Amino acid sequence: MAKDGLGLEIELTLALPGGGGSEASGSMEKKEKKRVFSEFSGEETNTAKKNKMVGWPPVCSYRRKNSFSEEEGTKMYVKVSMDGAPFLRKIDLSPLEGYSSLLMSLEKLFCCYIGEGESSEYVPIYEDKDGDWMLVGDVPWKMFSGSCKRLRIMKSLDAKGIGLHAKDLLEGISIEA
Amino acid sequence: MVNYFPEEVLEHVFSFLTSHRDRNAVSLVCKSWYNVERFSRGKVFIGNCYAISPERLISRFPRVRSLTLKGKPHFADFNLVLHDWGGYVYPWIEAMAKGCTNLEELRLKRMLVSDASLELIAKSFPNFKSLVLVSCEGFTTDGLAAIASNCRFLRELDLQENEVEDPRGQWLSCFPDSCTSLASLNFACLKGEVNLAALERLVARCRNLKSLRLNHAVPPDVLQKILARAPQLVDLGAGSFVHDPESETYNKLKNVMQKCTSIRSLSGFLDVNARCLPAIYPICINLSSLNLSYAPGIYSKELVKLIRKCKKLQCLWILDTIGDKGLSVVASACKELQELRVFKSDPNDVGNAAVTEEGLVAISAGCPNLNSLLYFCRQMTNTALITVAKNCPNFIRFRLCTLDPITPDAVTMQPLDNGFGAIVQSCKGLKRLSVSGLLTDQVFLYIGMYAEQLEMLSIAFAGNSDKGMVYVLNGCKKLKKLEIRDSPFGNMALLADTGKYETMRSLWMSSCKVTFGACKSLAEKMPRLNVEIINEGDEMEGGSDDRQNVEKMYLYRTLVGPRKDAPDSVWTL
């Protein structure tokens, strides 16, 4: 293997495989034009297809299991109570993408209007893992959905004393899920 | 003449040799040096547990006190190797329990560790001080309970990224009241509850505790109490951090963190509200190591505010939510940075990666001492890699991973050969390299030519022909581990230089173009190699066809022939 290029033209060229453009050192056989990846994806064997995706990207399995994205198919049903309603409902948080989807789903469930604005009658709150009642919207969505135990749609009148407004809560939601 | 030195003098001189490579070299000089060295060797490193047997280890090094063992091949981390492939530690413990009971330290990586093994350790080694398990599996907290109960002088229990079953959760209470020797305790990877009162008492009585990494189950108020009792901590892994910046716990935590002026290394934060990060601002200036790679939900703005304060940072592990802009801030604030790892924030979601070549270039410009990199990115360019190579000639480890394994240069659409070529040419001390992106045989030509110190090379979806692999085998004189997946290297490359494999620890090839016939002839020719074929499922029913491609092959040098503990799905040829 000549280090200083004796007998070989070691030029740093940006050549495509298969000899398109200027020649790199050693002749690139024309028949090698096919890229590796597409070559494999052209094969119909199941194992080739299967192995193509296994273990890529190379994230070690411990990290993969402990990353914070939910496994597909897990459902996160939580109870939802609304002040004045005679019974509770349940809602699945897992397919929702963020706070706006949550509010829309809640509104559909109870046929009420929670939305923004000072005129809003209701304020959504939730009970977290520690048992504390929190205002919906402060933390990133994924953290919320991971720690929400139950929801309550509270009447704004009850919250007025603390100075909460639905508007403030929704304005603060700029974090992407 | 060295013959006239009494052995005591030789032994004294050798005691200054700590590196196992130096000791290996010394033992080759002559018979007398071999003997003095073997009786004085305390620490042994075995990179492949199947390269040697425990009995031979003990007969050569009867006074070994510290043993490091590695089991499964690296690609096992990515689910490419069966669980039961092997790497059982029990036979080693059994042999040491019979022949070498002054064992004090055991460090295992990618091995199968049963509760029975842990119980045997606890029973057999009265001076046992240190257990480090990395990426191991097969044990439960029952095994840990045995260690805690019986190892009276335990100094270190370090569990890193292991899969551990937690049926009972009372292992921590098994440390007796008389145990005060703990200096390092890391149970961050355990999923279950721990006895919090026992934990607090343990911390209170272990005055030498320097390193403590908690798991998710330790709530913030207990963390605060622990820190109040252990302000001498140097390394902290916070499991659960506080969520509510208005809470009493947050205030207490903030106050107690101010007193933890010895903390140099911080990790964990498995569940944190970014608005509570200011609690750790006071210690940022002292930090040399920060690992936020398991901390979801911290977005670029808060991350950046935190990192800006870490002016002495040498090692940073982070998620790609930091973004290119965030990396620019790191580059301007952390001038002493040596190691950077940027992980995918969501390994299952391809396409939302938030760092590109820009972030890497910024880091290289701001951090000239950078010598170790792991970088998951959406795209890369040759120009960027060439710039990085110029800015940072000191790389020892350079691992790049593009999300699409064959993505070309994002600007020119050319292969990334020249970029990596620049890296190996500039970084004369490079020992470990992982390449990624669209790559032809050319990149391997460069690697073979320039990567003189390279010991480990990882290749995936790269190259055009056998020539690529041959360039590497011919050129990299110090190559120890070569792992290749989904690349068109075949029999010609495999058989080009069979003697080379005896100078290496191992070779892994999966989804390449090597056939059974070639593997068989290699195994026949080289009796001091184990050539293993791993079959998953039904391919190998009714005997093998020599012309058939092998799915997974793992070969390694060994002094003890084929192993006897391989499962049915692994054939040693």
Side-chain angles (χ1 to χ4, degrees):
Chain A
M1 218 46 245
K3 229 186 210 345
D4 49 4
L6 288 172
L8 292 166
E9 299 199 337
I10 319 287
E11 275 199 0
L12 293 183
T13 55
L14 301 178
L16 279 172
S22 46
E23 292 292 313
S25 79
S27 56
M28 297 285 194
E29 274 136 20
K30 296 284 185 202
K31 67 184 168 191
E32 304 281 9
K33 246 190 257 195
K34 268 199 217 164
R35 310 249 159 93
V36 169
F37 197 63
S38 56
E39 193 173 20
F40 281 142
S41 49
E43 273 180 25
E44 287 314 305
T45 61
N46 285 334
T47 37
K49 282 205 158 112
K50 190 172 63 163
N51 286 339
K52 192 169 73 180
M53 294 319 282
V54 169
W56 195 269
V59 176
C60 78
S61 53
Y62 175 84
R63 187 173 283 279
R64 216 180 257 272
K65 285 186 197 151
N66 290 283
S67 77
F68 57 107
S69 67
E70 300 293 338
E71 292 283 319
E72 274 175 26
T74 44
K75 301 216 175 275
M76 289 193 286
Y77 277 102
V78 295
K79 288 186 195 169
V80 190
S81 62
M82 173 151 138
D83 289 359
F87 49 79
L88 281 61
R89 301 295 301 273
K90 265 206 162 161
I91 189 172
D92 181 7
L93 294 180
S94 50
L96 301 175
E97 289 149 2
Y99 289 112
S100 16
S101 327
L102 173 66
L103 292 181
M104 278 199 312
S105 309
L106 291 176
E107 286 174 349
K108 256 195 240 159
L109 216 52
F110 288 102
C111 305
C112 66
Y113 178 64
I114 307 175
E116 321 178 40
E118 268 140 8
S119 58
S120 160
E121 241 192 295
Y122 295 102
V123 168
I125 60 176
Y126 71 100
E127 184 183 8
D128 76 353
K129 269 194 271 221
D130 299 328
D132 299 317
W133 284 94
M134 323 277 291
L135 181 65
V136 167
D138 280 340
V139 300
W141 170 257
K142 281 216 160 103
M143 183 178 299
F144 159 77
S145 61
S147 60
C148 171
K149 295 284 248 323
R150 54 190 299 169
L151 282 156
R152 176 180 159 201
I153 303 175
M154 199 164 98
K155 280 220 161 72
S156 289
L157 290 170
D158 294 337
K160 245 198 174 102
I162 321 169
L164 293 168
H165 297 285
K167 181 185 81 156
D168 293 335
L169 118 76
L170 288 167
E171 263 175 18
I173 301 170
S174 56
I175 304 162
E176 302 263 313
Chain B
M1 279 288 280
V2 296
N3 289 343
Y4 297 142
F5 280 155
E7 291 196 346
E8 294 81 27
V9 173
L10 277 179
E11 203 179 308
H12 183 66
V13 171
F14 293 170
S15 69
F16 293 101
L17 297 175
T18 45
S19 130
H20 62 271
R21 281 174 204 203
D22 288 343
R23 279 189 164 261
N24 290 347
V26 138
S27 63
L28 291 175
V29 168
C30 65
K31 223 165 168 191
S32 135
W33 281 37
Y34 176 89
N35 276 320
V36 173
E37 196 283 317
R38 67 180 261 256
F39 282 109
S40 65
R41 172 117 45 152
K43 278 186 167 188
V44 178
F45 169 83
I46 295 179
N48 173 7
C49 64
Y50 290 119
I52 189 74
S53 74
E55 291 74 25
R56 282 182 68 161
L57 169 77
I58 295 170
S59 72
R60 179 166 171 194
F61 301 117
R63 304 223 185 107
V64 64
R65 281 174 294 104
S66 164
L67 180 60
T68 302
L69 284 171
K70 293 190 179 183
K72 292 197 175 99
H74 175 234
F75 275 179
D77 284 352
F78 316 131
N79 294 328
L80 289 177
V81 178
L82 317 156
H83 273 280
D84 60 346
W85 171 86
Y88 301 97
V89 77
Y90 193 86
W92 291 87
I93 315 251
E94 205 178 25
M96 304 277 312
K98 288 196 201 120
C100 201
T101 56
N102 40 2
L103 187 69
E104 291 179 10
E105 179 177 285
L106 193 58
R107 309 168 77 91
L108 306 177
K109 188 166 186 179
R110 287 191 209 100
M111 299 213 46
L112 287 173
V113 180
S114 59
D115 282 343
S117 313
L118 295 176
E119 283 153 21
L120 192 55
I121 293 173
K123 267 200 318 231
S124 316
F125 307 118
N127 285 331
F128 197 73
K129 295 197 171 69
S130 170
L131 182 64
V132 180
L133 303 177
V134 180
S135 302
C136 295
E137 56 184 336
F139 62 102
T140 76
T141 46
D142 287 351
L144 297 178
I147 297 281
S149 309
N150 296 300
C151 300
R152 295 189 301 142
F153 303 115
L154 195 68
R155 258 204 314 244
E156 178 176 27
L157 179 60
D158 185 358
L159 309 171
Q160 298 176 32
E161 307 200 340
N162 304 290
E163 298 287 343
V164 187
E165 293 290 323
D166 198 342
R168 256 171 282 262
Q170 286 305 318
W171 65 278
L172 203 71
S173 327
C174 292
F175 282 106
D177 290 340
S178 53
C179 170
T180 57
S181 49
L182 266 186
S184 168
L185 178 62
N186 172 6
F187 61 93
C189 65
L190 296 186
K191 298 288 184 321
E193 304 294 321
V194 286
N195 185 323
L196 299 174
L199 175 62
E200 283 184 57
R201 285 197 306 268
L202 183 64
V203 171
R205 64 180 184 270
C206 294
R207 303 313 310 157
N208 289 330
L209 192 67
K210 290 280 187 302
S211 168
L212 180 63
R213 297 192 184 191
L214 309 168
N215 75 347
H216 199 284
V218 181
D221 59 309
V222 175
L223 170 64
Q224 175 263 317
K225 282 191 235 168
I226 286 175
L227 289 177
R229 290 206 206 245
Q232 79 280 5
L233 280 179
V234 170
D235 169 25
L236 173 68
S240 236
F241 208 66
V242 64
H243 291 170
D244 180 2
E246 314 289 320
S247 64
E248 185 56 35
T249 309
Y250 175 75
N251 279 329
K252 285 196 190 156
L253 210 48
K254 215 164 53 150
N255 288 333
V256 84
M257 296 258 27
Q258 278 174 337
K259 303 204 181 76
C260 294
T261 52
S262 305
I263 293 183
R264 297 285 171 273
S265 167
L266 205 52
S267 62
F269 296 92
L270 310 170
D271 185 4
V272 62
N273 180 345
R275 283 160 54 202
C276 294
L277 285 178
I280 56 177
Y281 286 174
I283 57 167
C284 287
I285 186 61
N286 297 325
L287 288 182
S288 56
S289 170
L290 180 62
N291 180 356
L292 293 174
S293 66
Y294 285 106
I298 310 181
Y299 291 86
S300 190
K301 213 169 44 161
E302 293 100 0
L303 263 179
V304 155
K305 254 200 263 181
L306 181 71
I307 292 176
R308 237 191 249 280
K309 298 179 185 287
C310 301
K311 301 235 184 277
K312 293 210 203 122
L313 210 58
Q314 292 176 15
C315 176
L316 177 63
W317 291 26
I318 200 101
L319 293 173
D320 62 4
T321 45
I322 192 169
D324 286 333
K325 291 217 177 69
L327 288 176
S328 298
V329 175
V330 174
S332 64
C334 307
K335 291 302 184 192
E336 304 189 22
L337 199 67
Q338 294 179 24
E339 173 171 339
L340 174 67
R341 297 196 190 194
V342 181
F343 293 94
K344 272 295 289 153
S345 52
D346 189 349
N348 301 314
D349 176 20
V350 184
N352 279 349
V355 296
T356 70
E357 75 277 11
E358 284 179 23
L360 185 58
V361 169
I363 289 281
S364 73
C367 309
N369 292 335
L370 198 63
N371 62 41
S372 176
L373 179 76
L374 173 62
Y375 198 73
F376 283 82
C377 55
R378 180 177 59 218
Q379 63 186 52
M380 187 48 59
T381 65
N382 284 306
T383 310
L385 285 173
I386 291 169
T387 307
V388 169
K390 226 180 355 208
N391 292 338
C392 296
N394 297 322
F395 274 115
I396 299 173
R397 283 176 292 274
F398 190 90
R399 296 156 70 189
L400 196 79
C401 178
T402 56
L403 239 55
D404 172 358
I406 55 162
T407 190
D409 179 315
V411 169
T412 65
M413 304 311 278
Q414 302 292 320
L416 290 173
D417 299 335
N418 290 346
F420 283 105
I423 294 284
V424 291
Q425 197 173 4
S426 163
C427 304
K428 308 222 186 294
L430 193 69
K431 289 195 178 164
R432 182 170 180 182
L433 178 65
S434 299
V435 295
S436 179
L438 183 65
L439 295 165
T440 72
D441 287 344
Q442 186 78 358
V443 73
F444 300 114
L445 178 64
Y446 296 143
I447 291 173
M449 272 179 69
Y450 295 112
E452 289 177 14
Q453 302 299 322
L454 196 68
E455 295 178 6
M456 182 170 177
L457 178 61
S458 307
I459 300 170
F461 302 97
N464 307 106
S465 75
D466 287 332
K467 278 194 244 179
M469 185 168 160
V470 173
Y471 291 145
V472 170
L473 291 174
N474 283 347
C476 299
K477 300 294 176 210
K478 298 212 176 162
L479 195 64
K480 289 263 165 302
K481 291 193 280 187
L482 180 58
E483 47 184 28
I484 306 172
R485 63 167 290 183
D486 295 274
S487 302
F489 305 135
N491 298 338
M492 193 283 260
L494 181 69
L495 298 174
D497 182 0
T498 57
K500 173 84 175 171
Y501 304 128
E502 281 190 357
T503 69
M504 290 167 54
R505 188 185 299 170
S506 64
L507 168 67
W508 167 281
M509 291 180 78
S510 60
S511 304
C512 296
K513 291 186 161 180
V514 293
T515 65
F516 265 103
C519 292
K520 274 198 238 172
S521 69
L522 177 61
E524 223 172 81
K525 194 169 170 209
M526 308 291 296
R528 284 190 303 198
L529 297 180
N530 278 351
V531 180
E532 294 187 5
I533 308 294
I534 301 174
N535 308 305
E536 279 156 20
D538 46 331
E539 295 158 13
M540 290 304 111
E541 300 267 339
S544 59
D545 174 1
D546 276 7
R547 285 161 306 166
Q548 195 166 357
N549 277 0
V550 164
E551 257 318 304
K552 295 179 184 174
M553 179 207 72
Y554 181 56
L555 68 82
Y556 52 90
R557 67 179 174 190
T558 178
L559 293 175
V560 291
R563 58 190 175 108
K564 301 195 179 61
D565 62 3
D568 290 336
S569 46
V570 175
W571 293 7
T572 306
L573 297 179

